[in-house]
Amino acid sequence: DPIFPYHFVLCLEYLIHLINLAVDNKTWKPIQLNKGAPLIPHLAFADDILLFAEASVDQIDVIKIVLNLFCESSGDKVSDQKSYILFSNNVNWQTKHDIVTRSGFHCTNDLGKYLGVMILHKNVSQQTFSFILDKVNSI
């Protein structure tokens, strides 16, 4: 269906709108990398989205409400099997367990690669992304 990509973009825009409404209403508590930095509730690219929020049962309830509203209105479905939660090292075991149980999502310590690049890096150096430069230089 040639209209599908446009439908998908409109649906994703609606999901982002719902997230922003929850942030504006102060029910969704996004992350902030440091004082004075912007709040980050999500990052989206193509058909993937990363959601960021405080690690609490209350927040997973808010996220599930937003996702359910989105699914009900768009006809799309969130795949619990393809959805993962990555916790900060500061989150205790009991909170992790409660959030994973409540959400139905899997817990992970590694988000893997996206478009060939590792999503999480401990120490970023020139060598971390050298394979990209090698590919560009070989063209």
Side-chain angles (χ1 to χ4, degrees), residues 82-100:
K82 294 181 181 179
S83 299
Y84 294 88
I85 299 176
L86 176 77
F87 292 99
S88 144
N89 292 333
N90 301 329
V91 180
N92 69 54
W93 180 89
Q94 186 63 51
T95 302
K96 288 179 186 180
H97 174 75
D98 293 345
I99 292 170
V100 168

Side-chain angles (χ1 to χ4, degrees), residues 47-109:
D47 63 346
D48 292 309
I49 190 163
L50 295 171
L51 304 176
F52 301 96
E54 175 184 273
S56 69
V57 173
D58 290 343
Q59 284 300 285
I60 199 62
D61 288 343
V62 170
I63 290 169
K64 292 295 275 189
I65 289 167
V66 168
L67 292 175
N68 287 337
L69 281 169
F70 168 72
C71 291
E72 287 172 10
S73 57
S74 69
D76 288 330
K77 205 172 187 184
V78 174
S79 172
D80 292 350
Q81 296 300 316
K82 294 181 181 179
S83 299
Y84 294 88
I85 299 176
L86 176 77
F87 292 99
S88 144
N89 292 333
N90 301 329
V91 180
N92 69 54
W93 180 89
Q94 186 63 51
T95 302
K96 288 179 186 180
H97 174 75
D98 293 345
I99 292 170
V100 168
T101 301
R102 185 78 139 246
S103 70
F105 301 152
H106 301 283
C107 183
T108 188
N109 292 323

Side-chain angles (χ1 to χ4, degrees), residues 5-21 42 44 46 49 70 76:
Y6 302 106
H7 176 262
F8 181 80
V9 169
L10 289 173
C11 286
L12 188 59
E13 283 297 318
Y14 177 63
L15 175 57
I16 291 169
H17 176 72
L18 290 173
I19 292 168
N20 289 335
L21 279 175
H42 61 63
I49 190 163
F70 168 72
D76 288 330

